[in-house]
Amino acid sequence: MRLIIDTDPGNGVAGSDVDDGLAIALALRSPEIELLAVTVVGGNVPVGQGVRGALELLDVAGARHVPVHVGADRPLVQDPRPWRALLDRRRNDPKAQALWRSVALPPTQLVADPAPAAQVLVELVNRHPGEGTVLAIGPLTNIATAILLDPKWPRKVQRIVWMGGAFELPDVLQELNAAYDPEATHLVLTSAAPLLVVPLDVTLRTYMHLDEVGRLDASGTPLNTYLAGAVRPWVTWLAARFDRDGCPLHDPLALAALLDPSVVETRFRAADIELHGLLTRGRTVAWDATNDELLQVIVPLPEARPVEIAHAVDNDRFMRLLLDRLIG
């Protein structure tokens, strides 16, 4: 499987999701995957921090041959400053700062490849038409820009697997990967690209516990020691904030669904994102376009092609796959 990972890794950054790093590591430890490139987008962290995190991880994993490309640091249209302010407040929390103080970031001499991320996405897919898969585990700005550069690109990519959106969570008005750049999300969801969406609805049902982090650490490999050091404060912090016995693993689940489709159950639905409305901008919506009972009174529903959306997960199967690949 020829794979490109488009990501916003925050490993080592206080109060930042660490699961992008686990997803990249899972790809590196999966023999059926040929990782062609890592493209970085601004979202979870600014693009510069994401590039540094990707380079550190690839270096410590001994995967120095995988190029890292710098992508968009801001959305296509939306002002990113409100999102950055929200994320910065979380990271500047004294409790977060204290937990991450002991995280040692390994030095790296690796540098990013100068070719822009969106250009690389176009070139790699054009080089292997019908064979290149994109794992998108951040906002979709780079993917949308690739479509704008080459409108035929969605028909050339074998598949896009995207971790993003929240369809059936009433208290989640905006999910970061979808709402950071709503226009990009709309462009990708309504494109012709074969698409599997792994939303927050299912990723929140996954758990990684501290004893599993300990198993990573005890395996003794440089990569797993690095991962354990990055993940442990995140699990501890979430447990304190939300009284959770473990942390959800959003991005690795999206890759696991590629490696073993049985870890999730999926269904096909029309899907899009709301671009207007004081309360609804940035909210993803999915509906069964074949259901004649859907109310279409005020505004008729748009014509939309169905996309595959995960709606259930087998966490035990998922965690076995993840830990077996990383530790075994």
PDB file of all heavy atoms in Angstrom, residues 107-146:
ATOM      1  N   PRO A 107      17.111  15.544  19.885  1.00  0.00           N
ATOM      2  CA  PRO A 107      17.618  16.412  18.811  1.00  0.00           C
ATOM      3  C   PRO A 107      17.572  15.683  17.476  1.00  0.00           C
ATOM      4  O   PRO A 107      17.660  14.456  17.411  1.00  0.00           O
ATOM      5  CB  PRO A 107      19.062  16.687  19.242  1.00  0.00           C
ATOM      6  CG  PRO A 107      19.434  15.501  20.079  1.00  0.00           C
ATOM      7  CD  PRO A 107      18.177  15.073  20.777  1.00  0.00           C
ATOM      8  N   THR A 108      17.406  16.423  16.419  1.00  0.00           N
ATOM      9  CA  THR A 108      17.422  15.834  15.078  1.00  0.00           C
ATOM     10  C   THR A 108      18.111  16.787  14.115  1.00  0.00           C
ATOM     11  O   THR A 108      17.982  18.008  14.238  1.00  0.00           O
ATOM     12  CB  THR A 108      16.003  15.530  14.578  1.00  0.00           C
ATOM     13  OG1 THR A 108      16.077  14.985  13.254  1.00  0.00           O
ATOM     14  CG2 THR A 108      15.129  16.768  14.551  1.00  0.00           C
ATOM     15  N   GLN A 109      18.830  16.200  13.182  1.00  0.00           N
ATOM     16  CA  GLN A 109      19.479  16.974  12.129  1.00  0.00           C
ATOM     17  C   GLN A 109      18.660  16.951  10.846  1.00  0.00           C
ATOM     18  O   GLN A 109      19.053  17.560   9.843  1.00  0.00           O
ATOM     19  CB  GLN A 109      20.886  16.410  11.861  1.00  0.00           C
ATOM     20  CG  GLN A 109      21.820  16.451  13.057  1.00  0.00           C
ATOM     21  CD  GLN A 109      22.042  17.859  13.574  1.00  0.00           C
ATOM     22  OE1 GLN A 109      22.282  18.783  12.787  1.00  0.00           O
ATOM     23  NE2 GLN A 109      21.934  18.037  14.879  1.00  0.00           N
ATOM     24  N   LEU A 110      17.536  16.251  10.869  1.00  0.00           N
ATOM     25  CA  LEU A 110      16.697  16.173   9.674  1.00  0.00           C
ATOM     26  C   LEU A 110      16.033  17.520   9.404  1.00  0.00           C
ATOM     27  O   LEU A 110      15.716  18.266  10.334  1.00  0.00           O
ATOM     28  CB  LEU A 110      15.625  15.099   9.844  1.00  0.00           C
ATOM     29  CG  LEU A 110      16.094  13.659  10.034  1.00  0.00           C
ATOM     30  CD1 LEU A 110      14.890  12.720  10.144  1.00  0.00           C
ATOM     31  CD2 LEU A 110      16.994  13.226   8.881  1.00  0.00           C
ATOM     32  N   VAL A 111      15.838  17.810   8.134  1.00  0.00           N
ATOM     33  CA  VAL A 111      15.147  19.040   7.743  1.00  0.00           C
ATOM     34  C   VAL A 111      14.057  18.685   6.747  1.00  0.00           C
ATOM     35  O   VAL A 111      14.099  17.633   6.090  1.00  0.00           O
ATOM     36  CB  VAL A 111      16.107  20.069   7.115  1.00  0.00           C
ATOM     37  CG1 VAL A 111      17.134  20.538   8.136  1.00  0.00           C
ATOM     38  CG2 VAL A 111      16.806  19.488   5.888  1.00  0.00           C
ATOM     39  N   ALA A 112      13.081  19.561   6.639  1.00  0.00           N
ATOM     40  CA  ALA A 112      11.972  19.325   5.727  1.00  0.00           C
ATOM     41  C   ALA A 112      12.424  19.439   4.286  1.00  0.00           C
ATOM     42  O   ALA A 112      13.336  20.207   3.946  1.00  0.00           O
ATOM     43  CB  ALA A 112      10.845  20.318   6.004  1.00  0.00           C
ATOM     44  N   ASP A 113      11.786  18.664   3.431  1.00  0.00           N
ATOM     45  CA  ASP A 113      12.000  18.763   1.988  1.00  0.00           C
ATOM     46  C   ASP A 113      11.386  20.082   1.507  1.00  0.00           C
ATOM     47  O   ASP A 113      10.297  20.456   1.949  1.00  0.00           O
ATOM     48  CB  ASP A 113      11.332  17.570   1.296  1.00  0.00           C
ATOM     49  CG  ASP A 113      11.656  17.479  -0.182  1.00  0.00           C
ATOM     50  OD1 ASP A 113      11.191  18.349  -0.942  1.00  0.00           O
ATOM     51  OD2 ASP A 113      12.357  16.531  -0.575  1.00  0.00           O
ATOM     52  N   PRO A 114      12.034  20.801   0.602  1.00  0.00           N
ATOM     53  CA  PRO A 114      11.513  22.119   0.203  1.00  0.00           C
ATOM     54  C   PRO A 114      10.249  22.077  -0.655  1.00  0.00           C
ATOM     55  O   PRO A 114       9.570  23.093  -0.794  1.00  0.00           O
ATOM     56  CB  PRO A 114      12.677  22.734  -0.582  1.00  0.00           C
ATOM     57  CG  PRO A 114      13.495  21.573  -1.054  1.00  0.00           C
ATOM     58  CD  PRO A 114      13.365  20.529   0.020  1.00  0.00           C
ATOM     59  N   ALA A 115       9.899  20.927  -1.229  1.00  0.00           N
ATOM     60  CA  ALA A 115       8.709  20.870  -2.078  1.00  0.00           C
ATOM     61  C   ALA A 115       7.455  21.062  -1.228  1.00  0.00           C
ATOM     62  O   ALA A 115       7.292  20.400  -0.202  1.00  0.00           O
ATOM     63  CB  ALA A 115       8.651  19.541  -2.820  1.00  0.00           C
ATOM     64  N   PRO A 116       6.540  21.958  -1.623  1.00  0.00           N
ATOM     65  CA  PRO A 116       5.325  22.208  -0.826  1.00  0.00           C
ATOM     66  C   PRO A 116       4.432  20.983  -0.755  1.00  0.00           C
ATOM     67  O   PRO A 116       4.346  20.197  -1.710  1.00  0.00           O
ATOM     68  CB  PRO A 116       4.636  23.350  -1.582  1.00  0.00           C
ATOM     69  CG  PRO A 116       5.685  23.947  -2.461  1.00  0.00           C
ATOM     70  CD  PRO A 116       6.620  22.843  -2.801  1.00  0.00           C
ATOM     71  N   ALA A 117       3.729  20.848   0.369  1.00  0.00           N
ATOM     72  CA  ALA A 117       2.940  19.649   0.633  1.00  0.00           C
ATOM     73  C   ALA A 117       1.891  19.387  -0.439  1.00  0.00           C
ATOM     74  O   ALA A 117       1.755  18.257  -0.928  1.00  0.00           O
ATOM     75  CB  ALA A 117       2.275  19.768   2.004  1.00  0.00           C
ATOM     76  N   ALA A 118       1.100  20.390  -0.806  1.00  0.00           N
ATOM     77  CA  ALA A 118       0.028  20.162  -1.775  1.00  0.00           C
ATOM     78  C   ALA A 118       0.585  19.737  -3.129  1.00  0.00           C
ATOM     79  O   ALA A 118       0.034  18.856  -3.793  1.00  0.00           O
ATOM     80  CB  ALA A 118      -0.821  21.421  -1.921  1.00  0.00           C
ATOM     81  N   GLN A 119       1.686  20.346  -3.528  1.00  0.00           N
ATOM     82  CA  GLN A 119       2.328  19.959  -4.789  1.00  0.00           C
ATOM     83  C   GLN A 119       2.776  18.505  -4.740  1.00  0.00           C
ATOM     84  O   GLN A 119       2.621  17.753  -5.707  1.00  0.00           O
ATOM     85  CB  GLN A 119       3.525  20.874  -5.051  1.00  0.00           C
ATOM     86  CG  GLN A 119       4.358  20.501  -6.266  1.00  0.00           C
ATOM     87  CD  GLN A 119       5.634  21.325  -6.349  1.00  0.00           C
ATOM     88  OE1 GLN A 119       5.621  22.525  -6.077  1.00  0.00           O
ATOM     89  NE2 GLN A 119       6.735  20.692  -6.708  1.00  0.00           N
ATOM     90  N   VAL A 120       3.329  18.088  -3.596  1.00  0.00           N
ATOM     91  CA  VAL A 120       3.791  16.705  -3.441  1.00  0.00           C
ATOM     92  C   VAL A 120       2.615  15.734  -3.482  1.00  0.00           C
ATOM     93  O   VAL A 120       2.703  14.653  -4.083  1.00  0.00           O
ATOM     94  CB  VAL A 120       4.591  16.563  -2.133  1.00  0.00           C
ATOM     95  CG1 VAL A 120       4.838  15.102  -1.784  1.00  0.00           C
ATOM     96  CG2 VAL A 120       5.910  17.320  -2.247  1.00  0.00           C
ATOM     97  N   LEU A 121       1.497  16.094  -2.843  1.00  0.00           N
ATOM     98  CA  LEU A 121       0.314  15.245  -2.897  1.00  0.00           C
ATOM     99  C   LEU A 121      -0.127  15.019  -4.342  1.00  0.00           C
ATOM    100  O   LEU A 121      -0.463  13.896  -4.740  1.00  0.00           O
ATOM    101  CB  LEU A 121      -0.826  15.885  -2.098  1.00  0.00           C
ATOM    102  CG  LEU A 121      -0.708  15.776  -0.576  1.00  0.00           C
ATOM    103  CD1 LEU A 121      -1.609  16.810   0.106  1.00  0.00           C
ATOM    104  CD2 LEU A 121      -1.092  14.382  -0.102  1.00  0.00           C
ATOM    105  N   VAL A 122      -0.105  16.078  -5.144  1.00  0.00           N
ATOM    106  CA  VAL A 122      -0.490  15.954  -6.549  1.00  0.00           C
ATOM    107  C   VAL A 122       0.510  15.077  -7.293  1.00  0.00           C
ATOM    108  O   VAL A 122       0.142  14.143  -8.026  1.00  0.00           O
ATOM    109  CB  VAL A 122      -0.595  17.344  -7.209  1.00  0.00           C
ATOM    110  CG1 VAL A 122      -0.768  17.210  -8.719  1.00  0.00           C
ATOM    111  CG2 VAL A 122      -1.760  18.126  -6.619  1.00  0.00           C
ATOM    112  N   GLU A 123       1.793  15.350  -7.105  1.00  0.00           N
ATOM    113  CA  GLU A 123       2.818  14.639  -7.873  1.00  0.00           C
ATOM    114  C   GLU A 123       2.871  13.158  -7.525  1.00  0.00           C
ATOM    115  O   GLU A 123       3.003  12.311  -8.413  1.00  0.00           O
ATOM    116  CB  GLU A 123       4.181  15.296  -7.644  1.00  0.00           C
ATOM    117  CG  GLU A 123       4.298  16.684  -8.270  1.00  0.00           C
ATOM    118  CD  GLU A 123       5.620  17.359  -7.942  1.00  0.00           C
ATOM    119  OE1 GLU A 123       6.380  16.806  -7.098  1.00  0.00           O
ATOM    120  OE2 GLU A 123       5.882  18.443  -8.509  1.00  0.00           O
ATOM    121  N   LEU A 124       2.784  12.822  -6.247  1.00  0.00           N
ATOM    122  CA  LEU A 124       2.871  11.418  -5.855  1.00  0.00           C
ATOM    123  C   LEU A 124       1.666  10.620  -6.341  1.00  0.00           C
ATOM    124  O   LEU A 124       1.805   9.472  -6.780  1.00  0.00           O
ATOM    125  CB  LEU A 124       3.018  11.296  -4.341  1.00  0.00           C
ATOM    126  CG  LEU A 124       4.367  11.708  -3.757  1.00  0.00           C
ATOM    127  CD1 LEU A 124       4.333  11.627  -2.231  1.00  0.00           C
ATOM    128  CD2 LEU A 124       5.493  10.833  -4.295  1.00  0.00           C
ATOM    129  N   VAL A 125       0.476  11.216  -6.266  1.00  0.00           N
ATOM    130  CA  VAL A 125      -0.710  10.512  -6.752  1.00  0.00           C
ATOM    131  C   VAL A 125      -0.667  10.391  -8.275  1.00  0.00           C
ATOM    132  O   VAL A 125      -1.027   9.352  -8.841  1.00  0.00           O
ATOM    133  CB  VAL A 125      -1.990  11.228  -6.280  1.00  0.00           C
ATOM    134  CG1 VAL A 125      -3.218  10.698  -7.007  1.00  0.00           C
ATOM    135  CG2 VAL A 125      -2.157  11.058  -4.773  1.00  0.00           C
ATOM    136  N   ASN A 126      -0.192  11.426  -8.964  1.00  0.00           N
ATOM    137  CA  ASN A 126      -0.058  11.349 -10.416  1.00  0.00           C
ATOM    138  C   ASN A 126       0.990  10.319 -10.836  1.00  0.00           C
ATOM    139  O   ASN A 126       0.867   9.699 -11.895  1.00  0.00           O
ATOM    140  CB  ASN A 126       0.303  12.715 -10.987  1.00  0.00           C
ATOM    141  CG  ASN A 126      -0.882  13.662 -11.030  1.00  0.00           C
ATOM    142  OD1 ASN A 126      -2.028  13.232 -10.958  1.00  0.00           O
ATOM    143  ND2 ASN A 126      -0.613  14.951 -11.143  1.00  0.00           N
ATOM    144  N   ARG A 127       1.986  10.133  -9.994  1.00  0.00           N
ATOM    145  CA  ARG A 127       3.026   9.148 -10.292  1.00  0.00           C
ATOM    146  C   ARG A 127       2.489   7.730 -10.159  1.00  0.00           C
ATOM    147  O   ARG A 127       2.939   6.812 -10.840  1.00  0.00           O
ATOM    148  CB  ARG A 127       4.212   9.347  -9.349  1.00  0.00           C
ATOM    149  CG  ARG A 127       5.485   8.601  -9.743  1.00  0.00           C
ATOM    150  CD  ARG A 127       6.588   8.911  -8.742  1.00  0.00           C
ATOM    151  NE  ARG A 127       6.817  10.343  -8.623  1.00  0.00           N
ATOM    152  CZ  ARG A 127       7.520  10.908  -7.633  1.00  0.00           C
ATOM    153  NH1 ARG A 127       8.027  10.135  -6.665  1.00  0.00           N
ATOM    154  NH2 ARG A 127       7.697  12.209  -7.598  1.00  0.00           N
ATOM    155  N   HIS A 128       1.527   7.538  -9.260  1.00  0.00           N
ATOM    156  CA  HIS A 128       0.944   6.210  -9.027  1.00  0.00           C
ATOM    157  C   HIS A 128      -0.581   6.316  -9.106  1.00  0.00           C
ATOM    158  O   HIS A 128      -1.274   6.091  -8.111  1.00  0.00           O
ATOM    159  CB  HIS A 128       1.362   5.678  -7.658  1.00  0.00           C
ATOM    160  CG  HIS A 128       2.833   5.681  -7.407  1.00  0.00           C
ATOM    161  ND1 HIS A 128       3.697   4.799  -8.009  1.00  0.00           N
ATOM    162  CD2 HIS A 128       3.600   6.483  -6.615  1.00  0.00           C
ATOM    163  CE1 HIS A 128       4.931   5.039  -7.593  1.00  0.00           C
ATOM    164  NE2 HIS A 128       4.902   6.049  -6.750  1.00  0.00           N
ATOM    165  N   PRO A 129      -1.148   6.669 -10.258  1.00  0.00           N
ATOM    166  CA  PRO A 129      -2.606   6.851 -10.326  1.00  0.00           C
ATOM    167  C   PRO A 129      -3.353   5.574  -9.957  1.00  0.00           C
ATOM    168  O   PRO A 129      -3.014   4.488 -10.416  1.00  0.00           O
ATOM    169  CB  PRO A 129      -2.843   7.237 -11.795  1.00  0.00           C
ATOM    170  CG  PRO A 129      -1.625   6.781 -12.527  1.00  0.00           C
ATOM    171  CD  PRO A 129      -0.492   6.850 -11.555  1.00  0.00           C
ATOM    172  N   GLY A 130      -4.330   5.745  -9.082  1.00  0.00           N
ATOM    173  CA  GLY A 130      -5.124   4.611  -8.636  1.00  0.00           C
ATOM    174  C   GLY A 130      -4.454   3.753  -7.591  1.00  0.00           C
ATOM    175  O   GLY A 130      -5.040   2.760  -7.141  1.00  0.00           O
ATOM    176  N   GLU A 131      -3.244   4.130  -7.149  1.00  0.00           N
ATOM    177  CA  GLU A 131      -2.505   3.314  -6.185  1.00  0.00           C
ATOM    178  C   GLU A 131      -2.141   4.075  -4.912  1.00  0.00           C
ATOM    179  O   GLU A 131      -1.774   3.458  -3.919  1.00  0.00           O
ATOM    180  CB  GLU A 131      -1.216   2.783  -6.821  1.00  0.00           C
ATOM    181  CG  GLU A 131      -1.441   1.874  -8.017  1.00  0.00           C
ATOM    182  CD  GLU A 131      -0.129   1.380  -8.616  1.00  0.00           C
ATOM    183  OE1 GLU A 131       0.928   1.587  -7.984  1.00  0.00           O
ATOM    184  OE2 GLU A 131      -0.165   0.803  -9.707  1.00  0.00           O
ATOM    185  N   GLY A 132      -2.207   5.382  -4.924  1.00  0.00           N
ATOM    186  CA  GLY A 132      -1.799   6.167  -3.766  1.00  0.00           C
ATOM    187  C   GLY A 132      -2.959   6.427  -2.818  1.00  0.00           C
ATOM    188  O   GLY A 132      -4.003   6.942  -3.219  1.00  0.00           O
ATOM    189  N   THR A 133      -2.780   6.053  -1.547  1.00  0.00           N
ATOM    190  CA  THR A 133      -3.776   6.296  -0.502  1.00  0.00           C
ATOM    191  C   THR A 133      -3.289   7.437   0.383  1.00  0.00           C
ATOM    192  O   THR A 133      -2.096   7.518   0.704  1.00  0.00           O
ATOM    193  CB  THR A 133      -3.993   5.031   0.344  1.00  0.00           C
ATOM    194  OG1 THR A 133      -4.528   4.000  -0.482  1.00  0.00           O
ATOM    195  CG2 THR A 133      -4.964   5.294   1.485  1.00  0.00           C
ATOM    196  N   VAL A 134      -4.193   8.304   0.777  1.00  0.00           N
ATOM    197  CA  VAL A 134      -3.862   9.419   1.671  1.00  0.00           C
ATOM    198  C   VAL A 134      -4.559   9.200   2.998  1.00  0.00           C
ATOM    199  O   VAL A 134      -5.782   9.038   3.051  1.00  0.00           O
ATOM    200  CB  VAL A 134      -4.277  10.770   1.063  1.00  0.00           C
ATOM    201  CG1 VAL A 134      -4.008  11.907   2.060  1.00  0.00           C
ATOM    202  CG2 VAL A 134      -3.537  11.025  -0.245  1.00  0.00           C
ATOM    203  N   LEU A 135      -3.770   9.174   4.078  1.00  0.00           N
ATOM    204  CA  LEU A 135      -4.316   9.165   5.433  1.00  0.00           C
ATOM    205  C   LEU A 135      -4.276  10.600   5.931  1.00  0.00           C
ATOM    206  O   LEU A 135      -3.196  11.146   6.192  1.00  0.00           O
ATOM    207  CB  LEU A 135      -3.492   8.252   6.345  1.00  0.00           C
ATOM    208  CG  LEU A 135      -3.935   8.225   7.813  1.00  0.00           C
ATOM    209  CD1 LEU A 135      -5.261   7.488   7.962  1.00  0.00           C
ATOM    210  CD2 LEU A 135      -2.869   7.582   8.707  1.00  0.00           C
ATOM    211  N   ALA A 136      -5.435  11.222   6.041  1.00  0.00           N
ATOM    212  CA  ALA A 136      -5.535  12.621   6.463  1.00  0.00           C
ATOM    213  C   ALA A 136      -5.972  12.654   7.918  1.00  0.00           C
ATOM    214  O   ALA A 136      -7.106  12.297   8.232  1.00  0.00           O
ATOM    215  CB  ALA A 136      -6.523  13.370   5.582  1.00  0.00           C
ATOM    216  N   ILE A 137      -5.068  13.083   8.806  1.00  0.00           N
ATOM    217  CA  ILE A 137      -5.362  13.054  10.239  1.00  0.00           C
ATOM    218  C   ILE A 137      -5.206  14.449  10.855  1.00  0.00           C
ATOM    219  O   ILE A 137      -4.842  14.597  12.009  1.00  0.00           O
ATOM    220  CB  ILE A 137      -4.490  12.003  10.973  1.00  0.00           C
ATOM    221  CG1 ILE A 137      -3.008  12.132  10.609  1.00  0.00           C
ATOM    222  CG2 ILE A 137      -4.989  10.600  10.636  1.00  0.00           C
ATOM    223  CD1 ILE A 137      -2.107  11.150  11.340  1.00  0.00           C
ATOM    224  N   GLY A 138      -5.498  15.439  10.048  1.00  0.00           N
ATOM    225  CA  GLY A 138      -5.515  16.825  10.495  1.00  0.00           C
ATOM    226  C   GLY A 138      -6.561  17.576   9.697  1.00  0.00           C
ATOM    227  O   GLY A 138      -7.364  16.964   8.982  1.00  0.00           O
ATOM    228  N   PRO A 139      -6.596  18.904   9.790  1.00  0.00           N
ATOM    229  CA  PRO A 139      -7.464  19.673   8.903  1.00  0.00           C
ATOM    230  C   PRO A 139      -7.138  19.374   7.441  1.00  0.00           C
ATOM    231  O   PRO A 139      -6.015  18.977   7.111  1.00  0.00           O
ATOM    232  CB  PRO A 139      -7.135  21.123   9.274  1.00  0.00           C
ATOM    233  CG  PRO A 139      -6.669  21.044  10.696  1.00  0.00           C
ATOM    234  CD  PRO A 139      -5.905  19.748  10.778  1.00  0.00           C
ATOM    235  N   LEU A 140      -8.102  19.617   6.559  1.00  0.00           N
ATOM    236  CA  LEU A 140      -7.984  19.148   5.178  1.00  0.00           C
ATOM    237  C   LEU A 140      -7.449  20.208   4.212  1.00  0.00           C
ATOM    238  O   LEU A 140      -7.625  20.087   2.997  1.00  0.00           O
ATOM    239  CB  LEU A 140      -9.344  18.648   4.704  1.00  0.00           C
ATOM    240  CG  LEU A 140      -9.811  17.346   5.377  1.00  0.00           C
ATOM    241  CD1 LEU A 140     -11.273  17.064   5.051  1.00  0.00           C
ATOM    242  CD2 LEU A 140      -8.932  16.181   4.960  1.00  0.00           C
ATOM    243  N   THR A 141      -6.755  21.214   4.715  1.00  0.00           N
ATOM    244  CA  THR A 141      -6.294  22.308   3.859  1.00  0.00           C
ATOM    245  C   THR A 141      -5.346  21.827   2.767  1.00  0.00           C
ATOM    246  O   THR A 141      -5.468  22.230   1.604  1.00  0.00           O
ATOM    247  CB  THR A 141      -5.605  23.392   4.711  1.00  0.00           C
ATOM    248  OG1 THR A 141      -6.377  23.650   5.879  1.00  0.00           O
ATOM    249  CG2 THR A 141      -5.444  24.672   3.910  1.00  0.00           C
ATOM    250  N   ASN A 142      -4.385  20.980   3.115  1.00  0.00           N
ATOM    251  CA  ASN A 142      -3.452  20.481   2.095  1.00  0.00           C
ATOM    252  C   ASN A 142      -4.164  19.652   1.037  1.00  0.00           C
ATOM    253  O   ASN A 142      -3.862  19.755  -0.160  1.00  0.00           O
ATOM    254  CB  ASN A 142      -2.352  19.632   2.744  1.00  0.00           C
ATOM    255  CG  ASN A 142      -1.380  20.443   3.565  1.00  0.00           C
ATOM    256  OD1 ASN A 142      -1.281  21.660   3.417  1.00  0.00           O
ATOM    257  ND2 ASN A 142      -0.647  19.776   4.441  1.00  0.00           N
ATOM    258  N   ILE A 143      -5.114  18.819   1.470  1.00  0.00           N
ATOM    259  CA  ILE A 143      -5.839  17.970   0.527  1.00  0.00           C
ATOM    260  C   ILE A 143      -6.688  18.838  -0.398  1.00  0.00           C
ATOM    261  O   ILE A 143      -6.719  18.631  -1.615  1.00  0.00           O
ATOM    262  CB  ILE A 143      -6.739  16.966   1.276  1.00  0.00           C
ATOM    263  CG1 ILE A 143      -5.975  16.267   2.415  1.00  0.00           C
ATOM    264  CG2 ILE A 143      -7.330  15.959   0.310  1.00  0.00           C
ATOM    265  CD1 ILE A 143      -4.786  15.479   1.980  1.00  0.00           C
ATOM    266  N   ALA A 144      -7.380  19.820   0.169  1.00  0.00           N
ATOM    267  CA  ALA A 144      -8.198  20.707  -0.648  1.00  0.00           C
ATOM    268  C   ALA A 144      -7.341  21.492  -1.632  1.00  0.00           C
ATOM    269  O   ALA A 144      -7.738  21.701  -2.793  1.00  0.00           O
ATOM    270  CB  ALA A 144      -8.985  21.666   0.252  1.00  0.00           C
ATOM    271  N   THR A 145      -6.166  21.932  -1.201  1.00  0.00           N
ATOM    272  CA  THR A 145      -5.279  22.669  -2.100  1.00  0.00           C
ATOM    273  C   THR A 145      -4.800  21.777  -3.240  1.00  0.00           C
ATOM    274  O   THR A 145      -4.677  22.230  -4.387  1.00  0.00           O
ATOM    275  CB  THR A 145      -4.078  23.233  -1.320  1.00  0.00           C
ATOM    276  OG1 THR A 145      -4.550  24.020  -0.225  1.00  0.00           O
ATOM    277  CG2 THR A 145      -3.204  24.099  -2.204  1.00  0.00           C
ATOM    278  N   ALA A 146      -4.546  20.502  -2.951  1.00  0.00           N
ATOM    279  CA  ALA A 146      -4.182  19.563  -4.020  1.00  0.00           C
ATOM    280  C   ALA A 146      -5.309  19.463  -5.041  1.00  0.00           C
ATOM    281  O   ALA A 146      -5.058  19.416  -6.256  1.00  0.00           O
ATOM    282  CB  ALA A 146      -3.864  18.198  -3.429  1.00  0.00           C
TER     283      ALA A 146
END
